């Protein structure tokens, strides 16, 4: 997938592009419907499928301090868009100057003259331009006069729940990773760098842990989770504790992961953690031995989760 980060990088219009526009935080099942429609339209005209998105989230520019925690940092968002089969991602910096572009100028100067759009796919609630005065009726009217088609996708629901970034954020915050997985179409993931922790895992408890410094803003509710860990080109099973280690009286939140059947120093490594299932709440234990025994039970429950997933995958 070609990634364009500035409009001036587009030296000539794309080839018969079908385009969708949005923040696409989460790149969830609702977004995937838009992407599939874009790919269908592009294939029909032997053109290019394209996505326009923004960094940072527009709310953070228009209402500083009020932006939602991102489900997918920009790097991961672009990875997922590429995985959806999109040819070109136009990831533009969202600035006050960009926000001041009128809806009409945005369509005429950027979408038509610069990108050469032939088909546009948008969600049912799409709005755009300065003060968000552009709406779907305006987009359709300009499409008729400037020669591009407009396709509107209805809201997507799964099991009676609207598929939206807000719904997914709430589920992740609540630790309901199973329902979040349904709306996302994949397991929720965070990523970051392994840093040195308190050093208790191996020496006191007998279970070495990797202490993650996440790049992600949205972290699941405190508790213990069965996880899958991506390290370099390998995938490991693991158990992650998110919390404040009440047995030891810590105050700072930590994200500590024990990788099953792994030995080695992970400090400085970048890892990605997929959250499969929540095993229990975090709680304080009377003794270190009690905590160590509970961790062993957590690992046993996690192995049951992994076996269940393997049975699902094998059909």
């Amino acid at each position: 997938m070609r990634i364009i980060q500035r409009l001036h990088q587009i030296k000539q219009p794309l080839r018969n592009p079908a385009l969708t526009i949005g923040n696409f935080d989460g790149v969830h099942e609702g977004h995937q419907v838009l992407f599939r429609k874009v790919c269908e339209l592009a294939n029909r005209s032997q053109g290019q499928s394209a996505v326009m998105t923004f960094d940072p989230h527009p709310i953070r520019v228009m209402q500083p301090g009020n932006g939602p925690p991102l489900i997918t940092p920009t790097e991961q968002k672009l990875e997922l868009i590429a995985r959806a089969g999109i040819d070109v991602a136009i990831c533009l910096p969202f600035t006050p100057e960009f926000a001041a572009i009128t809806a009409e100028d945005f369509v005429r100067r950027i979408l038509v003259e610069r990108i050469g759009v032939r088909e546009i796919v948008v969600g049912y609630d799409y709005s755009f331009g300065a003060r968000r005065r552009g709406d779907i009726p305006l987009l359709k009217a300009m499409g008729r006069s400037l020669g591009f088609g407009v396709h509107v996708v209805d809201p997507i629901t799964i099991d009676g729940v609207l598929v939206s970034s807000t719904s997914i954020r709430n589920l992740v915050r609540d630790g309901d990773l199973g329902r979040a997985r349904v709306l996302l179409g994949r397991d929720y993931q965070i990523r970051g760098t392994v840093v040195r922790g308190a050093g208790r895992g191996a020496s006191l408890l007998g279970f070495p842990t990797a202490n993650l410094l996440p790049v992600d803003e949205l972290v699941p509710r405190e508790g213990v989770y069965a996880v899958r860990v991506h390290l370099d080109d390998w995938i490991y099973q693991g158990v992650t504790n998110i919390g404040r280690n009440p047995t030891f009286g810590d105050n700072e939140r930590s994200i500590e992961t024990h990788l099953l059947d792994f030995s080695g120093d992970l400090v400085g490594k970048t890892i990605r953690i997929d959250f499969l299932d929540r095993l229990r709440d975090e709680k304080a234990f009377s003794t270190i031995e009690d905590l160590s025994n509970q961790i062993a039970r957590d690992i046993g429950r996690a192995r049951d989760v992994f076996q269940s997933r393997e049975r699902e995958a094998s059909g």
Side-chain angles (χ1 to χ4, degrees):
M1 182 180 75
R2 177 187 176 193
I3 298 175
I4 296 170
Q5 295 178 305
R6 295 289 189 277
L7 285 172
H8 67 74
Q9 293 176 316
I10 305 175
K11 302 300 184 183
Q12 59 185 16
L14 304 183
R15 186 183 74 256
N16 296 335
L19 172 75
T20 186
I21 308 167
N23 296 310
F24 303 119
D25 186 28
V27 194
H28 54 58
E29 290 284 36
H31 299 145
Q32 297 293 339
V33 173
L34 297 171
F35 298 159
R36 286 194 289 271
K37 183 66 175 178
V38 162
C39 290
E40 173 194 328
L41 292 168
N43 289 337
R44 194 181 297 170
S45 64
Q46 297 185 324
Q48 291 176 290
S49 56
V51 168
M52 178 184 288
T53 190
F54 308 99
D55 183 29
H57 195 292
I59 292 179
R60 298 190 172 184
V61 175
M62 306 310 296
Q63 303 175 33
N66 290 332
L70 295 179
I71 301 168
T72 44
T74 299
E75 178 186 24
Q76 185 188 13
K77 178 167 69 171
L78 292 173
E79 289 171 5
L80 292 167
I81 291 173
R83 195 181 301 172
I86 298 297
D87 297 317
V88 181
I90 304 169
C91 186
L92 300 179
F94 196 88
T95 63
E97 293 75 21
F98 188 88
I101 298 173
T102 66
E104 293 82 0
D105 279 351
F106 175 71
V107 172
R108 184 174 287 103
R109 289 169 40 207
I110 296 177
L111 300 187
V112 175
E113 295 176 6
R114 177 73 67 167
I115 298 173
V117 69
R118 295 296 180 86
E119 308 283 353
I120 295 179
V121 180
V122 295
Y124 65 100
D125 57 351
Y126 179 63
S127 60
F128 61 100
R131 298 186 177 90
R132 302 188 71 81
R133 287 181 174 170
D135 55 15
I136 290 172
L138 173 65
L139 192 61
K140 288 183 174 180
M142 295 192 74
R144 288 190 294 270
S145 64
L146 296 173
F148 60 83
V150 177
H151 308 264
V152 181
V153 174
D154 292 331
I156 306 300
T157 60
I158 299 177
D159 298 332
V161 177
L162 177 67
V163 180
S164 70
S165 300
T166 299
S167 298
I168 293 165
R169 285 188 198 99
N170 291 336
L171 290 170
V172 172
R173 284 175 173 141
D174 291 342
D176 193 344
L177 280 304
R179 292 178 66 198
R181 177 191 178 201
V182 171
L183 302 189
L184 281 169
R186 65 182 187 282
D187 293 305
Y188 182 66
Q189 181 186 99
I190 65 173
R191 59 182 65 189
T193 304
V194 178
V195 297
R196 294 202 180 277
R200 304 185 189 111
S203 60
L204 286 180
L205 301 170
F207 298 99
T209 58
N211 188 38
L212 185 73
L213 180 64
V215 299
D216 295 77
E217 302 169 352
L218 181 64
V219 174
R221 174 184 168 193
E222 294 183 357
V224 179
Y225 296 84
V227 301
R228 187 168 46 225
V229 181
H230 301 257
L231 170 64
D232 297 327
D233 295 326
W234 298 90
I235 299 176
Y236 296 90
Q237 297 170 343
V239 175
T240 293
N241 181 86
I242 300 175
R244 303 175 192 279
N245 296 302
T247 301
F248 299 100
D250 293 351
N251 292 317
E252 296 293 325
R253 185 192 69 186
S254 63
I255 303 171
E256 298 175 90
T257 300
H258 172 65
L259 279 67
L260 278 57
D261 309 314
F262 173 85
S263 62
D265 186 5
L266 294 176
V267 173
K269 291 281 191 178
T270 297
I271 63 173
R272 294 172 289 145
I273 301 174
D274 295 334
F275 288 84
L276 276 60
D277 198 10
R278 191 170 194 272
L279 302 177
R280 64 173 175 87
D281 290 337
E282 187 185 46
K283 61 181 181 179
F285 292 86
S286 301
T287 67
I288 291 174
E289 183 181 8
D290 288 344
L291 173 55
S292 182
N293 290 337
Q294 180 61 59
I295 294 173
R297 290 192 290 272
D298 294 337
I299 291 172
R301 287 191 60 197
R303 289 192 188 277
D304 291 340
V305 172
F306 304 138
Q307 290 175 4
S308 176
R309 282 296 188 93
E310 288 171 4
R311 286 193 295 270
E312 285 180 22
S314 61

